[in-house]
Structure formats: C-alpha cells, structure tokens
Amino acid sequence: MTNNFPQAPEGYGTVTPWIVTRDTVALIGFIEEAFGGQELSRMEVEGRIGHAEARIGDSVVLMFDSPFPVETPGLLRLFVDDADAVVERAVKAGAAVVTRPTELFWGDKVGRVRDPLGNIWWIQERLADLTPEEIGERAADPVYTEGMAYLQDSLGPALPAPE
C-alpha cells in the first residue's frame, strides 16, 4: 500500500533529532542566541516542557525536559558558512569550546562546542569539494593527520559534567 502524502511534514527532514535536556527553556534560548534559531512551538505539561521545536536554518530540532534519571546529551552537526564566527557566537551564548575550528582532510573545517546543558555541537564549514584522490592525499599529510588526532583526542574518554 502506498501513501498519498509526504513521509515528513513540509519543513521537516526525514530524520529530525530530539534533544532531551534538564532545561528546555534554556536550550531554546541558547539555540536562538548562538545559532540564530527560531522557536516554533512549546507545550508545557505539568510545569515541564513536554515538547518544543526550534528551526536552525532549514532543519528542525525537537526537545523536551528529561524524565530520565541520567543525562543524555545530544550530539549534533551544524553546517555553517563561517565556523570560526559561529563558534565565537556560541561561546558568547554560554558554550565552552571542545575543539577549536580545525581544517580536516576531507575539506571541512570542524569545531565543537558544549552548550550550557552539555550537548555537543559539531560546527562544520565546507571549505573544498575534493575528489576521492585529493582526500586520500590529504589524509596522509601530517597537517591533516595532526588536526584529526586533535579532534579525536579532544572528547577524551568522558566529558566532565556541565557546570
């Protein structure tokens, strides 16, 4: 049987991330300030945010206040035009730098920040559209292998809890 309607509602991607947090109101504020996001909806249930949505660029992020006994930070990748500027903006909005923006062998510059609620945002800027051969050559270049090692080591075995 075939559906006669789109799989996802208009304005939503096929996959939409959820962020489960202890303070959805603060997360929405961070998304607005750091990434220019826009709150789309918010529903309170017994004094807690039961469902909220925010748009960042052409994507929607869903979130709610956590009922879980453990923290479950989200890990999100955000493509931007200027990784350095967005990381700086996120820091001004309360994020901590996990890795400074670093150019990697496949042609992207990647920086990571931890927002005030512990979520990790991969801030990613496309610098070059490389062929597989170019990617292979750059993967062996010490400049890029050192950059990749820096990114891989920066998360460490476990992140400290947010303050």
Side-chain angles (χ1 to χ4, degrees), residues 107-163:
D108 287 6
K109 181 186 274 190
V110 178
R112 292 183 286 203
V113 298
R114 183 177 56 239
D115 71 27
L117 294 145
N119 302 295
I120 304 292
W121 297 81
W122 269 251
I123 311 299
Q124 199 150 336
E125 174 185 354
R126 299 283 306 174
L127 298 176
D129 187 18
L130 303 172
T131 66
E133 293 78 22
E134 292 169 318
I135 292 170
E137 289 170 16
R138 287 172 61 139
D141 183 328
V143 169
Y144 299 108
T145 57
E146 288 171 17
M148 193 67 200
Y150 164 66
L151 254 70
Q152 289 175 332
D153 292 344
S154 66
L155 289 177
L159 286 172
E163 296 178 20

Side-chain angles (χ1 to χ4, degrees), residues 94-114:
V97 173
V98 174
T99 50
R100 66 187 178 284
T102 303
E103 186 175 350
L104 300 173
F105 66 89
W106 62 87
D108 287 6
K109 181 186 274 190
V110 178
R112 292 183 286 203
V113 298
R114 183 177 56 239

Side-chain angles (χ1 to χ4, degrees), residues 2 16 24 31 38 43 72 87 104 113 116 119 129 136 155:
T2 358
T16 304
T24 301
I31 287 171
Q38 174 189 14
M43 182 176 59
T72 56
V87 166
L104 300 173
V113 298
N119 302 295
D129 187 18
L155 289 177

